[in-house]
Amino acid sequence: MRPAAYAVLNLEAVRHNLKVVRRHAPDAKIMAVVKANAYGHGLLRIAEAAKEVDGFGVARMEEAIRLREAGFKQRIVLLEGFTCEDELQASQDYQLEAVIHCFEQIELLEQAPATKKIAVWLKLDTGMNRLGFKKPDFAIAHQRLKACRGVNPEINLITHLANADDKTDSKTLAQIQLFKETVDDFDGECSIANSAGLLAWQEALTDWVRPGLMLYGISPFPEQTGVELGLKPVMSLYSKLIAVKQVNPGETVGYSGTWVCEKPTRLGVVAIGYGDGYPRYAKTGTPVMVNGQRVSLIGRVSMDMITVDLNSQPDAKMGDTVTLWGEGLPVEEIALCSDTIPYTLVCGITQRVQLVEQ
Ligand SMILES: *Cc1c(COP(=O)(O)O)cnc(C)c1O
């Protein structure tokens, strides 16, 4: 029995996408970003598929611990660092590396017993204005870290790009330049580029690159799909038709009757909805594939169902396979039709969607 909604994960595609990373950044070490359950794809299976990388980047302590407890020996970087003594202790116990972005963290390091050394990544805020030290504080922060006996003397240097997905935005070069001129005074390995940085900005290639989205075969650029960039989608989301019926002119379909039938229409009902993570704001006209052929979503997305126009598919019947995104239907397109970004779609797959490996 096939589940109503399931996602097939193509792990060979992860290895392919890593090759694309290598092609763009042949000399860089790779920190595969696997936060948020590897962007909804499953942390451990993606880490296993990408295990030849030099390190993993995660957002949360729990993610890092899961990786260590599963036996991964690579470097693991907590991209948000730690916020209290316990987390610092856990970072040491599990040999995690921490991004250091504020003086409170440095105080914790200064007060910690220097039993085990922790590797750190000192973060410069070059304009994202989220985490990181501003330039005038950077040297002071660096000096204080150097003086901590519990800190590995090799201090890595990191920043994050805010607008790298816009290839015409001059802010990116300004960020890169500010980073390079600030870190010039220090040794230690540097890291600037996320997926968009490493695909579009040569200048952002330094010792380490930090691809996330592109590992999953998805493009960070609104005007291009992953397939167009030579990537292969890892996740394909499927469901099935659970009803096929006729609706007549003047009738409406779905909540609030937003879709009004103008000509006799074969309507398909698909067993997937926002309860599975299919976007509630997908508009009428959003592409859906039935038996490999594109049809259009019509009416509102419900919790458990969507409705599609099957006039072009006279043979479609109950039980037929429906693709919501992935192989043959880029998730980037669905994101555009839903006024969102592909990150939110893959991250937003819910518990009831069964993940299966291809
Ligand atoms: C999420 C994240 C990345 C990966 O970004 P993508 O756009 O998915 O490639 C890299 N660096 C940091 C600090 C991040 O938070």
Side-chain angles (χ1 to χ4, degrees):
M1 202 169 50
R2 248 183 329 142
Y6 60 101
V8 175
L9 301 165
N10 176 356
L11 300 178
E12 192 281 316
V14 176
R15 292 183 281 271
H16 168 87
N17 297 333
L18 265 176
K19 285 192 196 131
V20 180
V21 172
R22 287 236 158 74
R23 204 155 67 226
H24 283 268
D27 303 322
K29 293 182 190 165
I30 300 174
M31 186 191 301
V33 178
V34 292
K35 60 197 182 188
N37 198 29
Y39 293 46
H41 294 64
L43 176 65
L44 298 183
R45 74 161 62 81
I46 296 297
E48 178 61 29
K51 66 182 172 204
E52 82 234 38
V53 297
D54 306 280
F56 293 112
V58 298
R60 305 277 161 86
M61 181 66 70
E62 307 86 83
E63 299 166 333
I65 293 175
R66 272 188 74 203
L67 284 173
R68 273 287 179 263
E69 291 193 331
F72 289 97
K73 303 276 190 279
Q74 291 86 343
R75 294 169 67 171
I76 300 178
V77 180
L78 294 163
L79 294 169
E80 297 168 16
F82 49 80
T83 56
C84 61
E85 231 179 280
D86 289 351
E87 284 181 359
L88 170 54
Q89 181 70 50
S91 308
Q92 289 170 323
D93 293 346
Y94 287 95
Q95 292 191 29
L96 310 176
E97 310 192 4
V99 165
I100 303 299
H101 54 78
C102 64
F103 283 116
E104 289 87 340
Q105 292 174 310
I106 297 183
E107 279 156 30
L108 287 167
L109 286 166
E110 287 167 343
Q111 289 154 15
T115 42
K116 289 184 209 155
K117 286 204 192 297
I118 180 171
V120 297
W121 294 71
L122 181 58
K123 185 159 193 173
L124 180 71
D125 178 2
T126 50
M128 179 73 157
N129 277 307
R130 222 171 43 179
L131 298 180
F133 292 91
K134 282 292 170 62
K135 186 175 183 186
D137 289 331
F138 196 75
I140 303 163
H142 194 275
Q143 199 175 23
R144 281 176 63 180
L145 285 175
K146 271 274 185 210
C148 286
R149 280 188 303 132
V151 170
N152 190 329
E154 169 89 10
I155 296 172
N156 307 288
L157 309 157
I158 186 168
T159 193
H160 193 47
L161 299 172
N163 297 18
D165 58 331
D166 181 349
K167 295 176 189 172
T168 64
D169 195 328
S170 61
K171 184 180 174 112
T172 300
L173 282 183
Q175 282 195 272
I176 294 169
Q177 196 183 347
L178 176 59
F179 180 74
K180 288 187 172 169
E181 73 191 30
T182 308
V183 303
D184 206 29
D185 300 337
F186 310 104
D187 4 289
E189 294 189 322
C190 294
S191 180
I192 303 176
N194 55 2
S195 299
L198 90 90
L199 288 166
W201 303 88
Q202 276 284 329
E203 301 84 348
L205 300 178
T206 52
D207 303 306
W208 285 81
V209 292
R210 309 191 304 273
L213 195 67
M214 71 180 289
L215 292 179
Y216 310 100
I218 305 170
S219 165
F221 309 113
E223 72 282 4
Q224 253 175 324
T225 62
V227 172
E228 287 164 349
L229 292 165
L231 300 166
K232 289 186 183 166
V234 177
M235 180 195 289
S236 294
L237 180 63
Y238 297 105
S239 182
K240 59 186 173 185
L241 281 173
I242 54 169
V244 176
K245 60 179 51 173
Q246 194 70 22
V247 285
N248 297 312
E251 293 187 291
T252 64
V253 171
Y255 286 118
S256 307
T258 56
W259 189 82
V260 185
C261 185
E262 284 173 358
K263 58 174 198 279
T265 299
R266 266 189 110 227
L267 181 83
V269 182
V270 184
I272 199 161
Y274 62 79
D276 303 284
Y278 190 82
R280 163 78 172 70
Y281 294 108
K283 297 183 189 64
T284 285
T286 299
V288 171
M289 276 199 322
V290 174
N291 297 325
Q293 302 294 317
R294 283 184 179 223
V295 300
S296 288
L297 177 84
I298 56 182
R300 289 239 169 117
V301 170
S302 315
M303 185 184 292
D304 313 305
M305 287 173 264
I306 59 172
T307 39
V308 297
D309 178 344
L310 291 179
N311 272 353
S312 63
Q313 298 301 312
D315 300 329
K317 58 184 187 310
M318 186 167 91
D320 283 357
T321 299
V322 177
T323 310
L324 288 312
W325 65 63
E327 198 64 54
L329 182 57
V331 67
E332 294 92 327
E333 268 190 66
I334 311 307
L336 284 177
C337 292
S338 319
D339 293 327
T340 187
I341 52 174
Y343 297 79
T344 67
L345 299 183
V346 287
C347 281
I349 289 292
T350 65
Q351 285 290 332
R352 78 176 181 187
V353 175
Q354 268 189 43
L355 301 185
V356 293
E357 290 172 21
Q358 181 168 297

